[in-house]
Amino acid sequence: MSEESELSTRERLIAAAGELFGKKGFHATSIREICAMAGANVASVNYHFQDKDKLAEEVLVHVLQWGSDAHPIDRVINPGRPPEEQLFAFVRRFLLTRIDPARPTWHEMVMFREMIEPGPNMNSVVERAIRRNAEVLFGIVRGLLGEAAPRVFVERCQHCVIGQCIHFVHHRRVVERIHPGLIDCSPEGIEAMARHITDFSLAAIRNIPLPKPENDMLEGGA
C-alpha cells in the first residue's frame, strides 16, 4: 500500500483486510495477517472494530460507500423532477461511483468474494450502505409504473434496472473480452452507458403489461 503512511491505523486495517479478504476470503484470513500487512498490532483490531466480523462489515461498507461523498444520493436525485430524469440520474450516479480509475482494485475483488462466500454481517451492511439507495430506486420505478402496479411487480422492475448496472460494472472484464471497446470508462463513455441503460429500462417499463389482479385471472381461467 503506497499511501500507507498517510492513512490512519483504522484505514490501514480496512485496506489490508479488504485486500486479503479479496484474495483469500474471510475465513482463510487471520487477524495476524491483516495486522502485519497494515503495520498495526493485533490489539488494534479489537480497539477499532471489536473483532474480525465487525472489521469485515466495515470493509464492505467502505467499498459500497466509496464515492458517495462526491455523488450523495439525496443531492443527485431531485424528487421534483420527472421520474424519467430521476432514473437517468440514479443510473449515472451508480456507474460513476463504481467505475472510477481511482477506485482501489481490491474493492472489486472483495465484492466478488462476498457474492460467492458471504461474510457474517450482510444484513447490517444492507441496512447501512444499500437500503437507502434501494428505496430511492423503488420510488423512481413506482413513479414510472403508477400506483396501480403491485409492489412485487415494482420490485422486480427495480431489480431489472439495477441488474443492468451491476452487469456492466462487475462483469465488464468478461464483456470486454466478448465485445472489445464496448465499455468506455471515460466520463463521456459512462454518460452514454447511463443513457442506454435508462432508455432500455424506460422502454421496458412503459410497455410491460401490469399483471392482472388475482381474481380476474381466476375468472379468466374458469
Side-chain angles (χ1 to χ4, degrees), residues 13 17 20 49 95 109 113 128 130 136 150 186 196 210-211:
L13 287 168
L20 290 169
F49 307 101
L95 298 177
M109 294 167 60
R113 276 281 182 181
R128 293 179 59 191
I130 299 175
V136 169
S186 70
H196 175 82
L210 293 180

Side-chain angles (χ1 to χ4, degrees), residues 209-221:
L210 293 180
K212 294 181 179 180
E214 186 175 349
N215 289 340
D216 291 348
M217 293 176 69
L218 291 174
E219 290 174 5

